[in-house]
Amino acid sequence: MKQAHFNRVRSGDWDQLEKALKLYEKRGNRPKSIKPSEMVKLYRRTARDLYVAQSRSYSTDLVDRLNALCIRGHNVVYTYRSGWLAKLLEFLTAGFPRQVRKQWPLVLASAGLFLIPALVTSLLIIQDPQRIYSIMTDTQISSYESMYDPNNPRPRRQADSSLAAFGYYVANNAAIGLRTAASGVLLGIGTAIILIFNGTVLSAVTTHLWLIGSGPELQKFVAGHSSTELVAIVLSGAAGLRFAQALIAPGRTSRVSALRDAAKDAMVLAYGAFLMFLLAAFIEAFWSPWRFSGVLKYNVGIALWVIVISYFLFAGRSAVRSNAD
């Protein structure tokens, strides 16, 4: 088929596709005169026409036009098809775990800032139990002792109902995560302080409760949500350290450019950490307070730790391989 005849036969579809693209490239949800299914058909036929034009060495102008239409069509079709649910699924199954693996040195540094002070605090309180009072007030200590008293029949939660507790945990944990990540712009000093503080306080409470005999009750309570909550804190810290890294060591680019690139990485970590805080709050409000058997709670907690670790080790790897292929 000669190019002139090819143009006459197929140009109608190209014009229709261009019209459809102009409609769908505009923002808004107004009704479109061309249905999505029809636009997809036009896009696919034009992609086939591009292959024909290239294989038959038709003019550069024609190939360029069809190529431009196909690029625009690809962007519109796959953006239109990928709603928020699809994007969230892609983020959870690939984007988030891949970013955590990519930033593993910062994740490790954040974990160190959180866990090392926690270990030191625990050792100091074991040597001298009275040191707990230099970290927390009498009122705070009494509140925790009452909450995890084995003889206390009330559910162990920070509100009168599970739903209210869920709201409290989301607001409290998300605020901690946001402050931890955002404080990275202070050259990482703010992030480090928050991680050290939280590791110290959590360790102090845990060690004190074990020393007075309430440790098993605490362990049963935190077993379910500890994996998601603690990992979320560490990832929030890694997000903050990513900001600090861009400011302290921008490399061969400007600090503004480095910070812009860092923000993309940090926000993936921060968004993922928020979703983990959300899951932790749900477990803490609706599962953790209830007095099921210790064996059941420990097994659920261990299973969740295995799931979380496996998720970050393996999720998204198949997508990487397929892209490489």
Side-chain angles (χ1 to χ4, degrees):
M1 184 186 298
K2 295 185 179 293
Q3 179 175 331
H5 181 60
F6 181 73
N7 287 351
R8 286 195 300 271
V9 173
R10 302 296 306 130
S11 61
D13 276 358
W14 308 336
D15 294 339
Q16 278 292 96
L17 177 59
E18 189 154 20
K19 178 182 177 182
L21 291 175
K22 289 179 180 178
L23 291 173
Y24 282 89
E25 285 170 342
K26 292 180 180 178
R27 297 193 176 187
N29 296 318
R30 289 177 297 178
K32 309 294 193 298
S33 58
I34 299 177
K35 295 180 179 179
S37 59
E38 182 61 27
M39 183 188 64
V40 172
K41 290 179 182 177
L42 290 168
Y43 161 66
R44 288 175 175 169
R45 289 201 289 261
T46 302
R48 191 164 52 244
D49 291 341
L50 173 61
Y51 171 76
V52 171
Q54 289 174 327
S55 64
R56 294 178 180 176
S57 300
Y58 286 160
S59 69
T60 302
D61 290 342
L62 176 61
V63 171
D64 287 346
R65 183 193 177 191
L66 296 179
N67 187 57
L69 285 173
C70 287
I71 291 173
R72 291 171 62 195
H74 178 274
N75 293 337
V76 168
V77 167
Y78 288 97
T79 299
Y80 184 81
R81 285 185 167 184
S82 299
W84 69 268
L85 189 59
K87 291 177 181 177
L88 177 61
L89 184 62
E90 194 279 334
F91 174 83
L92 291 174
T93 58
F96 178 40
R98 286 208 298 260
Q99 187 62 229
V100 171
R101 289 194 295 271
K102 178 183 176 182
Q103 304 298 337
W104 72 264
L106 298 180
V107 174
L108 190 61
S110 177
L113 288 169
F114 181 74
L115 294 175
I116 293 174
L119 177 60
V120 172
T121 300
S122 181
L123 293 174
L124 290 174
I125 292 177
I126 290 172
Q127 290 176 353
D128 181 4
Q130 296 303 310
R131 287 192 174 118
I132 181 71
Y133 294 98
S134 64
I135 299 173
M136 305 180 69
T137 66
D138 292 350
T139 302
Q140 290 173 324
I141 295 170
S142 297
S143 176
Y144 281 112
E145 289 177 349
S146 174
M147 185 182 298
Y148 297 104
D149 184 346
N151 299 316
N152 185 354
R154 297 186 62 193
R156 296 179 174 88
R157 59 192 178 206
Q158 297 284 356
D160 294 332
S161 68
S162 295
L163 187 60
F166 174 67
Y168 171 83
Y169 294 137
V170 169
N172 182 68
N173 295 345
I176 292 173
L178 179 61
R179 286 196 300 269
T180 306
S183 297
V185 297
L186 302 175
L187 300 180
I189 297 173
T191 297
I193 290 173
I194 294 173
L195 288 170
I196 292 170
F197 174 80
N198 280 279
T200 299
V201 171
L202 288 175
S203 176
V205 172
T206 302
T207 305
H208 175 72
L209 291 176
W210 275 100
L211 289 175
I212 66 172
S214 298
E217 295 300 316
L218 171 67
Q219 191 65 34
K220 284 190 288 186
F221 177 79
V222 303
H225 63 271
S226 61
S227 57
T228 47
E229 185 171 305
L230 295 179
V231 171
I233 292 174
V234 169
L235 294 182
S236 297
L241 295 179
R242 182 68 184 93
F243 283 120
Q245 183 185 50
L247 292 170
I248 296 171
R252 296 183 178 181
T253 185
S254 68
R255 279 187 169 80
V256 174
S257 297
L259 193 59
R260 189 183 300 116
D261 292 337
K264 297 176 184 178
D265 298 335
M267 292 311 297
V268 172
L269 296 175
Y271 287 146
F274 172 77
L275 293 175
M276 294 190 72
F277 277 130
L278 200 65
L279 178 58
F282 181 84
I283 297 171
E284 188 172 1
F286 293 98
W287 165 261
S288 299
W290 303 106
R291 296 176 182 273
F292 300 114
S293 71
V295 173
L296 174 61
K297 285 204 162 188
Y298 294 149
N299 285 335
V300 169
I302 291 170
L304 287 172
W305 269 107
V306 171
I307 290 171
V308 168
I309 293 171
S310 300
Y311 168 72
F312 286 115
L313 286 177
F314 303 112
R317 290 190 183 275
S318 59
V320 173
R321 291 195 193 99
S322 62
N323 290 337
D325 294 342

